[in-house]
């Protein structure tokens, strides 16, 4: 009897192994010789482009069949142009990967006429790094704290209304009375920050990862006039480097204000990962989620990221999907108030 049970167990294990082998072979046939594209909605020089390039180099190693992966930049409307394209036009065969803007959910709920997509309709593979939005002003602005920005006008660089370069300053202006004047139309992070260095503008809202990576000289001890001063951060917890910089949620005076701030803090877990449009086969989704998880936990990937000064603080696709679903449960009345606060009128 015992021998028959052992024999049956061995047959079952062999069948499971064979099924797994067939699945792997099938996925290898699906991707072998193909070219995948990682699309992102900003200029090449920013951290979105840098993360896209890093992922294009390493993700293929963990996908059966090892497809070629290229990157494509599609700037416009603070990332909305690329988001709309990825959702509505991208192929549904798993070859189109999208690195979503951190403002994806916020833009959908606050600017629905421009956002022609549903965040929950994307399938999220995972996120490489979670990072806070941080408002930084130049020393020449004469502003040294968020309290100063509530008394003195600060010209803020922005790429467009779909970007956090607009959404965060507009929220802080509407919620707390910060005197941020937002100047739109700059091309990507590089254009926004270059405008600060040229004294065209005096501040910008970007992720702390981007600021540290691309402008470390702003935060050293040198007393020059373009020195960057972080005055407020938006996230669920303080950045370890910025323990003396207030969280916007700590300034919230009511439950409603805190809900709006926490809604905006959803920026942190969303950007610098990958997702796919609706309609992709579930088997392909499972394969690519597994590949993504292996990539972000690979020692060589992490070493290369560290060498390029790119943070790795990953979340799985399921974790990001849960955050997306949870954030979209915001009370419609509060979302409407946030919309009016940010854009100045109902939309």
């Amino acid at each position: 009897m015992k021998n028959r049970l052992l024999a049956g167990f061995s047959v079952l294990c062999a069948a499971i192994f064979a099924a797994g082998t067939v699945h792997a072979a099938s996925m290898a046939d699906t991707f072998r010789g193909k070219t995948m594209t990682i699309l992102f909605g900003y200029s090449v020089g920013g951290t979105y482009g840098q993360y896209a390039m890093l992922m294009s180099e390493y993700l293929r190693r963990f996908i059966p069949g090892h497809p070629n992966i290229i990157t494509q930049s599609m700037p416009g409307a603070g990332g909305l142009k690329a988001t709309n394209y990825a959702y509505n036009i991208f192929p549904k065969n798993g070859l189109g990967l999208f690195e979503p803007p951190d403002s994806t959910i916020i833009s959908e709920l606050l600017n629905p006429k421009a956002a022609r997509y549903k965040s929950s309709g994307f399938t999220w593979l995972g996120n490489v790094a979670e990072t806070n939005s941080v408002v930084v002003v130049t020393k020449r602005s004469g502003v040294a704290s968020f309290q100063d920005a509530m008394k003195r006008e600060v010209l803020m660089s922005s790429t467009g209304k779909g970007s956090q370069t607009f959404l965060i300053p507009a929220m802080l202006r509407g919620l707390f009375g910060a005197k941020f004047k937002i100047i739109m139309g700059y091309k990507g992070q590089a254009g926004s920050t270059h405008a600060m260095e040229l004294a065209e503008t005096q501040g910008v809202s970007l992720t702390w990862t981007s600021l540290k990576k691309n402008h470390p000289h702003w935060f050293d001890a040198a007393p020059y006039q373009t020195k960057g001063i972080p005055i407020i951060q938006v996230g669920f917890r303080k950045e370890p480097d910025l323990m003396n910089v207030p969280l916007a949620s700590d300034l919230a005076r009511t439950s409603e204000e805190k809900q709006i701030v926490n809604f905006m803090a959803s920026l942190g877990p969303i950007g610098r990962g990958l997702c796919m449009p609706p309609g992709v086969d579930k088997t392909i989704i499972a394969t690519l989620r597994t590949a993504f998880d292996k990539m972000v936990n690979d020692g060589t990937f992490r070493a290369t990221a560290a060498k390029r000064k790119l943070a790795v603080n990953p979340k799985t696709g399921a974790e990001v999907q849960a955050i997306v679903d949870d954030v979209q449960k915001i009370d419609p009345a509060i979302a409407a108030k946030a919309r009016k606060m940010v854009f100045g009128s109902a939309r």
Side-chain angles (χ1 to χ4, degrees):
M1 179 66 176
K2 181 178 180 181
N3 288 337
R4 286 199 299 273
L5 289 172
L6 289 174
F9 180 71
S10 297
V11 171
L12 177 62
C13 289
I16 293 172
F17 177 77
T21 302
V22 170
H23 169 73
S26 174
M27 284 295 97
D29 290 341
T30 297
F31 291 110
R32 185 179 292 112
K34 302 293 177 59
T35 296
M36 304 177 76
T37 299
I38 296 178
L39 175 72
F40 58 99
Y42 299 101
S43 59
V44 175
T47 54
Y48 277 90
Q50 293 163 31
Y51 275 106
M53 183 61 67
L54 178 66
M55 290 187 285
S56 73
E57 293 172 19
Y58 283 90
L59 184 61
R60 67 182 305 272
R61 304 182 185 186
F62 303 100
I63 300 175
H66 311 298
N68 185 40
I69 301 180
I70 63 174
T71 63
Q72 179 183 354
S73 168
M74 186 183 287
L80 274 173
K81 179 180 178 181
T83 309
N84 289 332
Y85 182 91
Y87 191 87
N88 295 290
I89 301 176
F90 244 7
K92 317 298 184 184
N93 57 6
L95 298 180
L97 304 178
F98 180 48
E99 184 183 5
D102 43 22
S103 56
T104 298
I105 305 175
I106 295 169
S107 292
E108 177 192 350
L109 296 181
L110 298 191
N111 196 7
K113 289 184 179 179
R116 298 188 296 276
Y117 61 86
K118 296 291 183 184
S119 299
S120 58
F122 282 113
T123 296
W124 304 81
L125 301 185
N127 190 355
V128 178
E130 179 176 356
T131 179
N132 286 355
S133 301
V134 178
V135 173
V136 173
V137 298
T138 57
K139 184 177 179 180
R140 66 160 63 92
S141 70
V143 170
S145 68
F146 186 66
Q147 294 301 319
D148 289 344
M150 295 175 69
K151 304 171 185 175
R152 181 169 184 165
E153 184 178 79
V154 181
L155 303 180
M156 301 291 292
S157 301
S158 175
T159 58
K161 290 187 176 181
S163 166
Q164 72 149 293
T165 58
F166 175 87
L167 294 168
I168 293 298
M171 182 271 289
L172 295 170
R173 179 177 63 193
L175 200 61
F176 301 121
K179 295 184 180 299
F180 292 141
K181 182 176 181 180
I182 305 170
I183 312 297
M184 291 187 289
Y186 290 103
K187 188 176 180 180
Q189 296 179 13
S192 298
T193 54
H194 188 52
M196 291 171 62
E197 294 181 330
L198 294 176
E200 290 179 9
T201 59
Q202 301 163 314
V204 72
S205 173
L206 291 170
T207 65
W208 185 234
T209 293
S210 300
L211 290 163
K212 280 203 311 180
K213 168 68 172 65
N214 295 321
H215 304 283
H217 56 287
W218 283 9
F219 308 105
D220 62 24
Y224 56 90
Q225 291 301 301
T226 54
K227 179 178 177 63
I229 304 172
I231 60 172
I232 194 166
Q233 53 185 314
V234 178
F236 295 109
R237 60 193 63 83
K238 288 186 176 183
E239 292 280 356
D241 299 331
L242 302 175
M243 297 307 292
N244 294 324
V245 177
L247 276 172
S249 57
D250 292 338
L251 304 181
R253 296 153 293 192
T254 66
S255 173
E256 185 176 278
E257 288 184 352
K258 189 172 286 290
Q259 287 183 67
I260 291 173
V261 171
N262 286 338
F263 166 58
M264 301 296 283
S266 68
L267 291 160
I270 298 302
R272 293 161 187 81
L274 291 176
C275 66
M276 294 184 296
V280 178
D281 182 82
K282 291 182 179 180
T283 304
I284 292 177
I285 291 170
T287 298
L288 294 181
R289 277 186 167 181
T290 297
F292 187 92
D293 291 345
K294 289 180 178 179
M295 177 189 71
V296 294
N297 289 293
D298 177 69
T300 306
F301 172 85
R302 286 176 173 253
T304 302
K307 185 176 180 180
R308 297 180 188 180
K309 299 182 179 179
L310 294 171
V312 177
N313 176 24
K315 278 184 165 50
T316 66
E319 288 173 327
V320 177
Q321 200 93 45
I323 291 170
V324 172
D325 294 343
D326 186 61
V327 171
Q328 291 194 311
K329 294 176 184 176
I330 185 172
D331 184 335
I334 292 179
K337 287 185 178 181
R339 186 181 306 125
K340 186 173 182 179
M341 182 182 302
V342 169
F343 292 106
S345 62
R347 286 183 172 232

